[in-house]
């Protein structure tokens, strides 16, 4: 390693107490970002169920950029609602009844070759 590199790292550590970058470095936000945040916040206020994909399309951004705006700047957690099947109550009762029958059969020895174990094959 070059001697000057070591000296720069030591100097930086003495100045700020760490070798990581100073806060505030990197690319700054554009002026347009403020209007984007304002418009997005207003759209979400009117319709909180709006998808981040539609918001991105309306703003002319990519889905990833809009996701980042929603998460980091607005403190939202965008997610997609998933549909799932309904598990009716009568099916739950039927499942409990069948499991009781199976447990009774096991207790009576109807299944002599059934073995319960926690080992994996």
């Amino acid at each position: 390693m070059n001697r000057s590199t070591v000296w720069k790292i030591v100097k930086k550590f003495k100045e700020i107490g760490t070798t990581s970058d100073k806060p505030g470095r990197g690319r700054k936000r554009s002026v347009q970002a403020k209007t984007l945040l304002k418009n997005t916040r207003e759209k979400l206020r009117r319709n909180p169920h709006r998808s981040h994909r539609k918001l991105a399309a309306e703003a002319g951004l990519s889905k990833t950029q809009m996701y980042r705006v929603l998460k980091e700047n607005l403190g939202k957690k965008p997610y997609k609602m998933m549909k799932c099947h309904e598990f009716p109550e009568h099916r739950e009762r039927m499942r409990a009844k069948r499991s009781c029958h199976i447990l009774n059969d096991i207790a009576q020895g109807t299944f002599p070759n059934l073995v319960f174990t926690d080992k994996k094959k």
Side-chain angles (χ1 to χ4, degrees), residues 44-117:
L44 285 175
R45 187 192 62 76
R46 281 187 262 138
N47 182 7
H49 301 291
R50 182 174 272 173
S51 74
H52 80 277
R53 291 178 181 153
K54 288 181 182 176
L55 287 170
E58 291 169 4
L61 298 173
S62 70
K63 294 179 288 186
T64 309
Q65 286 173 319
M66 182 53 74
Y67 184 85
R68 197 174 296 134
V69 165
L70 290 170
K71 189 173 179 187
E72 293 175 3
N73 301 110
L74 299 179
K76 305 292 183 190
K77 294 181 180 176
Y79 63 94
K80 184 176 180 180
M81 293 293 289
M82 302 297 286
K83 292 182 181 179
C84 65
H85 67 278
E86 184 180 347
F87 196 69
E89 193 174 319
H90 74 278
R91 293 245 187 232
E92 197 170 331
R93 287 192 304 265
M94 188 185 315
R95 181 185 279 186
K97 187 177 175 183
R98 287 178 180 168
S99 61
C100 285
H101 284 299
I102 290 172
L103 289 173
N104 288 337
D105 288 346
I106 292 170
Q108 293 173 1
T110 310
F111 299 119
N113 58 352
L114 185 66
V115 177
F116 290 99
T117 180

Side-chain angles (χ1 to χ4, degrees), residues 14-72:
K14 286 180 181 178
E15 286 177 3
I16 59 175
T18 182
T19 57
S20 61
D21 288 339
K22 293 179 183 178
R25 288 199 55 200
R27 187 175 178 148
K28 303 295 183 246
R29 290 281 173 127
S30 67
V31 177
Q32 187 180 10
K34 292 178 183 176
T35 58
L36 172 69
L37 289 174
K38 181 181 171 188
N39 292 342
T40 306
R41 189 179 291 120
E42 182 62 26
K43 287 177 184 177
L44 285 175
R45 187 192 62 76
R46 281 187 262 138
N47 182 7
H49 301 291
R50 182 174 272 173
S51 74
H52 80 277
R53 291 178 181 153
K54 288 181 182 176
L55 287 170
E58 291 169 4
L61 298 173
S62 70
K63 294 179 288 186
T64 309
Q65 286 173 319
M66 182 53 74
Y67 184 85
R68 197 174 296 134
V69 165
L70 290 170
K71 189 173 179 187
E72 293 175 3

